[in-house]
Amino acid sequence: MKLDFSKGLIPAIVVDDKTGDVLMLAYMNEEAYEKTLETKETWFYSRSRETLWHKGETSGNTQKVKSIQVDCDADTLLIRVDPEGPACHTGERTCFYRAIGGNGEVVEGDFSSRRIFDVLTEEIES
Amino acid sequence: MKLDFSKGLIPAIVVDDKTGDVLMLAYMNEEAYEKTLETKETWFYSRSRETLWHKGETSGNTQKVKSIQVDCDADTLLIRVDPEGPACHTGERTCFYRAIGGNGEVVEGDFSSRRIFDVLTEEIES
């Protein structure tokens, strides 16, 4: 079984191997995927710049690949990494630092820890 | 700040709220997103069937939304859910039940628990 690039770029979910937190999502073409396997660091394809992109090449915030999983349709990857510094270009540890509140509004803040999730959940449910 | 649907469908990463495991990735259009907010269950847009899709409508395996996070570019969602049964259409608990081995080959098996990840990591690193 091979990865299915027929529908275009493949989304890769990047998870912190130690904490289990989802850090970011980026896209891979076949070349980015091959480079990731070869170098054991994450490579993506930038949709806006339309170029191959070695994560951390300019920022130094590389991601060491610990494991790669593939989904049932072979068109999504789940990559567990050991991150060197923040994943997000804003300097946040994870790109998912904002949440959607109960009324659909965006709430700023680091919602990556379970504790804050619980608070947020209560907020959404109320 | 609103979600950015200008690049097309938005990928939604679905995570088990209790275990933190990534269960699946599916896509949302604006209608699916609105329905998800409204019903507090996951709705997606099926790229193959080109229709709105209420997860679990036929299988019964719905997902109760606990929280929704949005990434820095506002074009990816992270949804923590309380799943009613398996997330995957194959009957697996998570769609990510296969891994990529050290030589790029696909390895079958449930790689969703941390314990097995550790074994796999050693395999990849060796």
Side-chain angles (χ1 to χ4, degrees), chain B residues 1-117:
Chain B
M1 205 219 55
K2 296 269 284 178
L3 292 191
D4 181 7
F5 287 97
S6 70
K7 283 168 268 185
L9 299 172
I10 283 188
I13 303 163
V14 180
V15 169
D16 186 317
D17 185 54
K18 286 214 177 62
T19 65
D21 286 335
V22 177
L23 298 177
M24 59 183 284
L25 180 140
Y27 295 86
M28 287 188 179
N29 62 3
E30 202 152 3
E31 193 182 355
Y33 174 64
E34 295 296 341
K35 285 275 196 186
T36 298
L37 283 184
E38 187 189 311
T39 64
K40 289 176 178 153
E41 291 192 347
T42 52
W43 288 70
F44 303 106
Y45 182 82
S46 166
R47 296 186 299 173
S48 54
R49 286 178 286 124
E50 297 181 359
T51 53
L52 205 66
W53 159 49
H54 176 206
K55 168 76 183 157
E57 189 169 336
T58 51
S59 67
N61 301 329
T62 52
Q63 297 171 330
K64 189 171 179 227
V65 175
K66 304 301 281 183
S67 71
I68 303 180
Q69 289 161 269
V70 58
D71 79 340
C72 50
D73 298 325
D75 60 4
T76 304
L77 293 173
L78 173 54
I79 305 185
R80 294 183 75 102
V81 303
D82 184 7
E84 190 71 50
C88 190
H89 72 282
T90 60
E92 299 275 352
R93 192 175 62 81
T94 160
C95 292
F96 297 94
Y97 58 88
R98 293 180 300 194
I100 308 286
N103 301 321
E105 79 283 8
V106 172
V107 186
E108 304 277 336
D110 187 348
F111 295 98
S112 52
S113 79
R114 288 300 300 278
R115 185 114 161 256
I116 300 178
F117 271 129

Side-chain angles (χ1 to χ4, degrees), chain A residues 41-43 52-63:
Chain A
E41 292 192 347
T42 52
W43 288 70
L52 204 65
W53 158 48
H54 177 204
K55 168 76 181 156
E57 187 169 336
T58 52
S59 66
N61 302 329
T62 52
Q63 296 171 330

Side-chain angles (χ1 to χ4, degrees), chain A residues 4 15-16 20 23 26-27 30 37 39 44 52 55 57 60-62 68 77-78 81 88-89 92 97-98 115 117 126:
Chain A
D4 181 6
V15 169
D16 185 318
L23 298 177
Y27 295 87
E30 202 152 3
L37 283 185
T39 65
F44 303 106
L52 204 65
K55 168 76 181 156
E57 187 169 336
N61 302 329
T62 52
I68 304 179
L77 293 174
L78 172 54
V81 303
C88 190
H89 72 284
E92 299 275 353
Y97 57 90
R98 295 180 301 194
R115 184 112 161 258
F117 271 128
S126 67

Side-chain angles (χ1 to χ4, degrees), chain A residues 46-57:
Chain A
S46 165
R47 295 184 301 173
S48 54
R49 288 179 283 125
E50 298 182 357
T51 53
L52 204 65
W53 158 48
H54 177 204
K55 168 76 181 156
E57 187 169 336

